[in-house]
Short mmCIF file of all heavy atoms in Angstrom, two decimals:
data_model
loop_
_atom_site.label_atom_id
_atom_site.label_comp_id
_atom_site.label_asym_id
_atom_site.label_seq_id
_atom_site.Cartn_x
_atom_site.Cartn_y
_atom_site.Cartn_z
N VAL A 374 137.04 -133.53 -12.03
CA VAL A 374 136.63 -132.46 -12.96
C VAL A 374 136.28 -131.23 -12.14
O VAL A 374 135.50 -131.31 -11.17
CB VAL A 374 135.41 -132.90 -13.80
CG1 VAL A 374 134.82 -131.71 -14.55
CG2 VAL A 374 135.80 -133.99 -14.78
N LEU A 375 136.84 -130.09 -12.51
CA LEU A 375 136.51 -128.81 -11.91
C LEU A 375 135.46 -128.15 -12.79
O LEU A 375 135.65 -128.01 -14.00
CB LEU A 375 137.75 -127.92 -11.80
CG LEU A 375 138.99 -128.56 -11.16
CD1 LEU A 375 140.13 -127.56 -11.07
CD2 LEU A 375 138.66 -129.12 -9.79
N ASN A 376 134.37 -127.72 -12.18
CA ASN A 376 133.22 -127.27 -12.98
C ASN A 376 132.72 -125.90 -12.55
O ASN A 376 132.66 -125.57 -11.38
CB ASN A 376 132.07 -128.28 -12.82
CG ASN A 376 130.93 -128.00 -13.77
OD1 ASN A 376 131.05 -128.19 -14.99
ND2 ASN A 376 129.80 -127.56 -13.24
N GLN A 377 132.37 -125.08 -13.55
CA GLN A 377 131.72 -123.80 -13.29
C GLN A 377 130.35 -123.80 -13.98
O GLN A 377 130.18 -124.42 -15.02
CB GLN A 377 132.58 -122.64 -13.79
CG GLN A 377 132.97 -122.70 -15.25
CD GLN A 377 133.96 -121.61 -15.64
OE1 GLN A 377 133.84 -120.48 -15.21
NE2 GLN A 377 134.93 -121.97 -16.47
N ASP A 378 129.41 -123.08 -13.40
CA ASP A 378 128.02 -123.10 -13.85
C ASP A 378 127.79 -122.05 -14.92
O ASP A 378 127.77 -120.84 -14.62
CB ASP A 378 127.11 -122.86 -12.65
CG ASP A 378 125.64 -123.06 -12.97
OD1 ASP A 378 125.24 -122.85 -14.12
OD2 ASP A 378 124.89 -123.43 -12.04
N ALA A 379 127.59 -122.48 -16.16
CA ALA A 379 127.38 -121.54 -17.27
C ALA A 379 126.13 -120.71 -17.07
O ALA A 379 126.10 -119.51 -17.37
CB ALA A 379 127.30 -122.30 -18.60
N GLY A 380 125.06 -121.33 -16.55
CA GLY A 380 123.82 -120.59 -16.32
C GLY A 380 124.00 -119.47 -15.32
O GLY A 380 123.50 -118.36 -15.51
N HIS A 381 124.72 -119.76 -14.23
CA HIS A 381 124.99 -118.74 -13.22
C HIS A 381 125.79 -117.59 -13.83
O HIS A 381 125.53 -116.42 -13.56
CB HIS A 381 125.75 -119.36 -12.05
CG HIS A 381 125.96 -118.41 -10.90
ND1 HIS A 381 126.74 -118.74 -9.81
CD2 HIS A 381 125.52 -117.15 -10.68
CE1 HIS A 381 126.75 -117.71 -8.97
NE2 HIS A 381 126.03 -116.74 -9.48
N GLU A 382 126.77 -117.92 -14.67
CA GLU A 382 127.60 -116.88 -15.27
C GLU A 382 126.78 -115.97 -16.18
O GLU A 382 126.95 -114.74 -16.17
CB GLU A 382 128.77 -117.51 -16.02
CG GLU A 382 129.73 -118.21 -15.07
CD GLU A 382 131.01 -118.67 -15.75
OE1 GLU A 382 131.15 -118.46 -16.97
OE2 GLU A 382 131.88 -119.23 -15.05
N VAL A 383 125.90 -116.55 -16.97
CA VAL A 383 125.07 -115.73 -17.86
C VAL A 383 124.14 -114.84 -17.05
O VAL A 383 124.01 -113.64 -17.31
CB VAL A 383 124.27 -116.62 -18.83
CG1 VAL A 383 123.19 -115.82 -19.55
CG2 VAL A 383 125.21 -117.26 -19.85
N ARG A 384 123.48 -115.42 -16.05
CA ARG A 384 122.57 -114.62 -15.21
C ARG A 384 123.32 -113.51 -14.49
O ARG A 384 122.82 -112.39 -14.34
CB ARG A 384 121.83 -115.53 -14.22
CG ARG A 384 120.87 -116.50 -14.88
CD ARG A 384 120.03 -117.23 -13.86
NE ARG A 384 120.82 -118.07 -12.97
CZ ARG A 384 121.15 -119.32 -13.22
NH1 ARG A 384 120.78 -119.89 -14.36
NH2 ARG A 384 121.86 -120.02 -12.35
N SER A 385 124.52 -113.82 -14.03
CA SER A 385 125.33 -112.82 -13.34
C SER A 385 125.71 -111.68 -14.28
O SER A 385 125.61 -110.51 -13.92
CB SER A 385 126.59 -113.47 -12.76
OG SER A 385 127.42 -112.51 -12.14
N ALA A 386 126.13 -112.02 -15.49
CA ALA A 386 126.50 -110.99 -16.46
C ALA A 386 125.32 -110.08 -16.77
O ALA A 386 125.47 -108.85 -16.87
CB ALA A 386 127.02 -111.64 -17.74
N ILE A 387 124.13 -110.66 -16.90
CA ILE A 387 122.94 -109.86 -17.17
C ILE A 387 122.65 -108.93 -16.01
O ILE A 387 122.38 -107.73 -16.21
CB ILE A 387 121.72 -110.77 -17.46
CG1 ILE A 387 121.94 -111.56 -18.76
CG2 ILE A 387 120.44 -109.95 -17.55
CD1 ILE A 387 120.91 -112.65 -18.99
N ARG A 388 122.73 -109.45 -14.78
CA ARG A 388 122.47 -108.61 -13.61
C ARG A 388 123.46 -107.46 -13.52
O ARG A 388 123.10 -106.32 -13.24
CB ARG A 388 122.53 -109.45 -12.32
CG ARG A 388 121.33 -110.31 -12.06
CD ARG A 388 121.32 -110.82 -10.63
NE ARG A 388 122.49 -111.64 -10.33
CZ ARG A 388 122.52 -112.96 -10.44
NH1 ARG A 388 121.44 -113.62 -10.85
NH2 ARG A 388 123.60 -113.64 -10.15
N VAL A 389 124.73 -107.76 -13.77
CA VAL A 389 125.77 -106.73 -13.67
C VAL A 389 125.56 -105.66 -14.73
O VAL A 389 125.63 -104.46 -14.45
CB VAL A 389 127.17 -107.36 -13.80
CG1 VAL A 389 128.23 -106.27 -13.95
CG2 VAL A 389 127.48 -108.23 -12.59
N LEU A 390 125.31 -106.07 -15.96
CA LEU A 390 125.11 -105.09 -17.05
C LEU A 390 123.88 -104.24 -16.78
O LEU A 390 123.88 -103.02 -17.03
CB LEU A 390 125.00 -105.81 -18.39
CG LEU A 390 126.31 -106.45 -18.90
CD1 LEU A 390 126.03 -107.25 -20.16
CD2 LEU A 390 127.38 -105.38 -19.17
N ARG A 391 122.81 -104.86 -16.28
CA ARG A 391 121.61 -104.09 -15.95
C ARG A 391 121.90 -103.08 -14.85
O ARG A 391 121.47 -101.92 -14.90
CB ARG A 391 120.49 -105.03 -15.51
CG ARG A 391 119.85 -105.85 -16.63
CD ARG A 391 118.89 -105.02 -17.45
NE ARG A 391 117.85 -104.45 -16.61
CZ ARG A 391 116.68 -105.04 -16.37
NH1 ARG A 391 116.40 -106.20 -16.91
NH2 ARG A 391 115.78 -104.45 -15.62
N ALA A 392 122.61 -103.52 -13.82
CA ALA A 392 122.94 -102.62 -12.71
C ALA A 392 123.80 -101.46 -13.19
O ALA A 392 123.57 -100.30 -12.82
CB ALA A 392 123.67 -103.40 -11.61
N LYS A 393 124.80 -101.76 -14.02
CA LYS A 393 125.67 -100.71 -14.53
C LYS A 393 124.90 -99.72 -15.39
O LYS A 393 125.11 -98.51 -15.34
CB LYS A 393 126.83 -101.32 -15.33
CG LYS A 393 127.83 -102.10 -14.49
CD LYS A 393 128.56 -101.20 -13.53
CE LYS A 393 129.58 -101.96 -12.70
NZ LYS A 393 130.30 -101.06 -11.75
N ALA A 394 123.98 -100.24 -16.22
CA ALA A 394 123.18 -99.37 -17.07
C ALA A 394 122.30 -98.45 -16.25
O ALA A 394 122.01 -97.31 -16.66
CB ALA A 394 122.34 -100.21 -18.03
N ASP A 395 121.87 -98.91 -15.07
CA ASP A 395 121.00 -98.12 -14.20
C ASP A 395 121.78 -97.29 -13.18
O ASP A 395 121.18 -96.57 -12.39
CB ASP A 395 120.03 -99.03 -13.45
CG ASP A 395 118.80 -99.35 -14.28
OD1 ASP A 395 118.28 -98.45 -14.94
OD2 ASP A 395 118.38 -100.52 -14.27
N GLY A 396 123.11 -97.47 -13.15
CA GLY A 396 123.89 -96.75 -12.17
C GLY A 396 123.74 -97.29 -10.77
O GLY A 396 123.94 -96.57 -9.78
N LEU A 397 123.40 -98.58 -10.66
CA LEU A 397 123.21 -99.22 -9.35
C LEU A 397 124.46 -100.01 -8.97
O LEU A 397 125.24 -100.42 -9.84
CB LEU A 397 122.00 -100.15 -9.39
CG LEU A 397 120.66 -99.49 -9.69
CD1 LEU A 397 119.57 -100.55 -9.79
CD2 LEU A 397 120.32 -98.47 -8.61
N PRO A 398 124.69 -100.24 -7.67
CA PRO A 398 125.88 -100.98 -7.25
C PRO A 398 125.75 -102.46 -7.59
O PRO A 398 124.65 -103.01 -7.69
CB PRO A 398 125.90 -100.76 -5.73
CG PRO A 398 124.47 -100.53 -5.36
CD PRO A 398 123.88 -99.76 -6.52
N VAL A 399 126.90 -103.09 -7.77
CA VAL A 399 126.96 -104.54 -7.96
C VAL A 399 127.35 -105.16 -6.64
O VAL A 399 128.33 -104.75 -6.01
CB VAL A 399 128.00 -104.90 -9.04
CG1 VAL A 399 128.19 -106.41 -9.12
CG2 VAL A 399 127.59 -104.34 -10.39
N ILE A 400 126.57 -106.13 -6.18
CA ILE A 400 126.86 -106.82 -4.93
C ILE A 400 127.80 -107.98 -5.25
O ILE A 400 127.39 -109.00 -5.80
CB ILE A 400 125.58 -107.32 -4.26
CG1 ILE A 400 124.64 -106.14 -3.99
CG2 ILE A 400 125.89 -108.05 -2.96
CD1 ILE A 400 123.28 -106.54 -3.47
N ALA A 401 129.08 -107.78 -4.92
CA ALA A 401 130.11 -108.73 -5.35
C ALA A 401 129.84 -110.15 -4.86
O ALA A 401 130.04 -111.12 -5.60
CB ALA A 401 131.48 -108.25 -4.85
N ALA A 402 129.37 -110.28 -3.62
CA ALA A 402 129.14 -111.62 -3.07
C ALA A 402 128.07 -112.37 -3.85
O ALA A 402 128.14 -113.59 -4.01
CB ALA A 402 128.75 -111.51 -1.60
N GLN A 403 127.09 -111.65 -4.36
CA GLN A 403 126.01 -112.29 -5.11
C GLN A 403 126.50 -112.79 -6.46
O GLN A 403 125.97 -113.77 -6.99
CB GLN A 403 124.86 -111.30 -5.32
CG GLN A 403 123.63 -111.89 -5.98
CD GLN A 403 122.51 -110.89 -6.13
OE1 GLN A 403 122.72 -109.70 -6.00
NE2 GLN A 403 121.32 -111.37 -6.41
N GLU A 404 127.54 -112.15 -6.99
CA GLU A 404 128.00 -112.50 -8.33
C GLU A 404 129.23 -113.42 -8.32
O GLU A 404 129.82 -113.68 -9.36
CB GLU A 404 128.33 -111.21 -9.11
CG GLU A 404 127.22 -110.18 -9.11
CD GLU A 404 125.87 -110.72 -9.55
OE1 GLU A 404 125.83 -111.75 -10.23
OE2 GLU A 404 124.84 -110.11 -9.19
N ARG A 405 129.62 -113.87 -7.15
CA ARG A 405 130.78 -114.76 -7.08
C ARG A 405 130.44 -116.11 -7.68
O ARG A 405 129.45 -116.75 -7.30
CB ARG A 405 131.24 -114.91 -5.63
CG ARG A 405 132.56 -115.66 -5.47
CD ARG A 405 133.04 -115.62 -4.03
NE ARG A 405 133.33 -114.24 -3.64
CZ ARG A 405 132.74 -113.62 -2.63
NH1 ARG A 405 131.79 -114.23 -1.95
NH2 ARG A 405 133.06 -112.39 -2.32
N ILE A 406 131.25 -116.59 -8.63
CA ILE A 406 131.01 -117.86 -9.31
C ILE A 406 131.75 -118.97 -8.57
O ILE A 406 132.96 -118.91 -8.36
CB ILE A 406 131.48 -117.80 -10.78
CG1 ILE A 406 130.82 -116.62 -11.50
CG2 ILE A 406 131.15 -119.11 -11.48
CD1 ILE A 406 129.32 -116.65 -11.55
N ARG A 407 131.00 -119.99 -8.21
CA ARG A 407 131.56 -121.10 -7.43
C ARG A 407 132.24 -122.12 -8.33
O ARG A 407 131.81 -122.37 -9.46
CB ARG A 407 130.44 -121.77 -6.64
CG ARG A 407 130.90 -122.85 -5.68
CD ARG A 407 129.72 -123.44 -4.94
NE ARG A 407 128.82 -124.14 -5.85
CZ ARG A 407 127.66 -124.67 -5.48
NH1 ARG A 407 127.24 -124.52 -4.23
NH2 ARG A 407 126.92 -125.32 -6.36
N LEU A 408 133.32 -122.71 -7.82
CA LEU A 408 134.01 -123.79 -8.52
C LEU A 408 133.66 -125.10 -7.82
O LEU A 408 133.93 -125.28 -6.63
CB LEU A 408 135.52 -123.56 -8.48
CG LEU A 408 136.38 -124.58 -9.25
CD1 LEU A 408 136.18 -124.39 -10.76
CD2 LEU A 408 137.84 -124.43 -8.88
N ASP A 409 133.03 -126.02 -8.54
CA ASP A 409 132.67 -127.33 -8.00
C ASP A 409 133.71 -128.36 -8.40
O ASP A 409 134.30 -128.30 -9.48
CB ASP A 409 131.30 -127.77 -8.52
CG ASP A 409 130.17 -126.90 -7.99
OD1 ASP A 409 130.17 -126.61 -6.78
OD2 ASP A 409 129.31 -126.51 -8.79
N ILE A 410 133.94 -129.33 -7.53
CA ILE A 410 134.86 -130.43 -7.79
C ILE A 410 134.07 -131.72 -7.84
O ILE A 410 133.40 -132.09 -6.86
CB ILE A 410 135.96 -130.53 -6.72
CG1 ILE A 410 136.73 -129.20 -6.61
CG2 ILE A 410 136.91 -131.68 -7.03
CD1 ILE A 410 137.70 -129.17 -5.44
N PHE A 411 134.15 -132.43 -8.97
CA PHE A 411 133.44 -133.70 -9.10
C PHE A 411 134.43 -134.84 -9.29
O PHE A 411 135.40 -134.72 -10.06
CB PHE A 411 132.49 -133.66 -10.30
CG PHE A 411 131.34 -132.70 -10.12
CD1 PHE A 411 131.20 -131.60 -10.94
CD2 PHE A 411 130.40 -132.91 -9.12
CE1 PHE A 411 130.15 -130.71 -10.78
CE2 PHE A 411 129.35 -132.02 -8.94
CZ PHE A 411 129.22 -130.93 -9.77
N ILE A 412 134.17 -135.92 -8.58
CA ILE A 412 134.86 -137.18 -8.81
C ILE A 412 133.80 -138.23 -9.10
O ILE A 412 132.61 -137.92 -9.11
CB ILE A 412 135.73 -137.59 -7.59
CG1 ILE A 412 134.87 -137.74 -6.34
CG2 ILE A 412 136.84 -136.57 -7.36
CD1 ILE A 412 135.62 -138.24 -5.11
N LYS A 413 134.21 -139.44 -9.33
CA LYS A 413 133.25 -140.49 -9.70
C LYS A 413 132.16 -140.65 -8.65
O LYS A 413 131.00 -140.94 -8.99
CB LYS A 413 134.00 -141.80 -9.89
CG LYS A 413 133.11 -142.97 -10.29
CD LYS A 413 133.94 -144.24 -10.50
CE LYS A 413 133.06 -145.40 -10.91
NZ LYS A 413 133.86 -146.64 -11.15
N ASP A 414 132.51 -140.43 -7.38
CA ASP A 414 131.59 -140.75 -6.29
C ASP A 414 130.57 -139.66 -5.99
O ASP A 414 129.63 -139.91 -5.23
CB ASP A 414 132.38 -141.05 -5.02
CG ASP A 414 133.35 -142.21 -5.22
OD1 ASP A 414 132.90 -143.29 -5.58
OD2 ASP A 414 134.57 -142.00 -5.04
N ASN A 415 130.72 -138.47 -6.53
CA ASN A 415 129.75 -137.40 -6.21
C ASN A 415 129.15 -136.76 -7.46
O ASN A 415 128.73 -135.60 -7.42
CB ASN A 415 130.39 -136.34 -5.32
CG ASN A 415 131.39 -135.46 -6.06
OD1 ASN A 415 131.95 -135.88 -7.08
ND2 ASN A 415 131.62 -134.26 -5.57
N LEU A 416 129.10 -137.53 -8.56
CA LEU A 416 128.53 -137.00 -9.79
C LEU A 416 127.06 -136.66 -9.60
O LEU A 416 126.29 -137.48 -9.10
CB LEU A 416 128.66 -138.02 -10.92
CG LEU A 416 130.00 -138.07 -11.64
CD1 LEU A 416 130.03 -139.25 -12.60
CD2 LEU A 416 130.25 -136.78 -12.40
N PRO A 417 126.64 -135.46 -10.01
CA PRO A 417 125.22 -135.12 -9.92
C PRO A 417 124.44 -135.79 -11.03
O PRO A 417 125.01 -136.16 -12.07
CB PRO A 417 125.22 -133.59 -10.09
CG PRO A 417 126.40 -133.34 -10.98
CD PRO A 417 127.44 -134.35 -10.56
N ALA A 418 123.16 -135.96 -10.81
CA ALA A 418 122.31 -136.52 -11.87
C ALA A 418 122.21 -135.51 -13.00
O ALA A 418 122.04 -134.32 -12.78
CB ALA A 418 120.93 -136.84 -11.33
N GLY A 419 122.34 -136.01 -14.23
CA GLY A 419 122.23 -135.14 -15.40
C GLY A 419 120.97 -135.46 -16.18
O GLY A 419 120.73 -136.62 -16.50
N PRO A 420 120.15 -134.45 -16.50
CA PRO A 420 118.91 -134.71 -17.26
C PRO A 420 119.21 -135.15 -18.68
O PRO A 420 119.59 -134.35 -19.52
CB PRO A 420 118.19 -133.36 -17.23
CG PRO A 420 119.28 -132.35 -17.02
CD PRO A 420 120.33 -133.03 -16.21
N ASP A 421 119.09 -136.45 -18.90
CA ASP A 421 119.33 -137.01 -20.24
C ASP A 421 120.71 -136.64 -20.76
O ASP A 421 120.92 -136.47 -21.97
CB ASP A 421 118.27 -136.53 -21.24
CG ASP A 421 116.88 -136.97 -20.83
OD1 ASP A 421 116.74 -138.08 -20.31
OD2 ASP A 421 115.94 -136.18 -21.03
N GLU A 422 121.69 -136.53 -19.83
CA GLU A 422 123.06 -136.18 -20.18
C GLU A 422 123.18 -134.82 -20.83
O GLU A 422 124.22 -134.45 -21.36
CB GLU A 422 123.67 -137.25 -21.11
CG GLU A 422 123.79 -138.61 -20.50
CD GLU A 422 124.74 -138.62 -19.31
OE1 GLU A 422 125.69 -137.85 -19.31
OE2 GLU A 422 124.50 -139.39 -18.38
N ASP A 423 122.09 -134.02 -20.79
CA ASP A 423 122.14 -132.70 -21.41
C ASP A 423 122.25 -131.65 -20.33
O ASP A 423 121.48 -130.72 -20.24
CB ASP A 423 120.86 -132.46 -22.23
CG ASP A 423 120.94 -131.16 -23.02
OD1 ASP A 423 122.07 -130.73 -23.31
OD2 ASP A 423 119.87 -130.60 -23.34
N GLU A 424 123.28 -131.84 -19.47
CA GLU A 424 123.46 -130.94 -18.36
C GLU A 424 124.22 -129.72 -18.79
O GLU A 424 124.46 -129.50 -19.95
CB GLU A 424 124.24 -131.67 -17.27
CG GLU A 424 125.56 -132.06 -17.78
CD GLU A 424 126.10 -133.30 -17.10
OE1 GLU A 424 125.37 -133.92 -16.33
OE2 GLU A 424 127.23 -133.65 -17.38
N GLN A 425 124.65 -128.95 -17.77
CA GLN A 425 125.41 -127.74 -18.08
C GLN A 425 126.66 -128.13 -18.83
O GLN A 425 127.56 -128.78 -18.31
CB GLN A 425 125.78 -127.02 -16.78
CG GLN A 425 126.48 -125.70 -17.04
CD GLN A 425 127.96 -125.78 -16.82
OE1 GLN A 425 128.42 -126.07 -15.73
NE2 GLN A 425 128.73 -125.54 -17.85
#
Side-chain angles (χ1 to χ4, degrees):
V374 169
L375 310 182
N376 189 70
Q377 56 187 319
D378 188 331
H381 185 187
E382 294 189 359
V383 168
R384 293 188 297 272
S385 178
I387 294 170
R388 283 194 299 266
V389 170
L390 290 174
R391 287 283 302 269
K393 291 295 181 180
D395 276 318
L397 298 176
V399 173
I400 301 174
Q403 185 178 15
E404 308 308 338
R405 188 173 296 120
I406 305 300
R407 186 179 65 185
L408 183 71
D409 293 315
I410 303 172
F411 293 115
I412 60 176
K413 180 179 180 179
D414 302 302
N415 72 335
L416 278 172
D421 299 323
E422 296 297 328
D423 186 25
E424 62 208 7
Q425 185 257 299

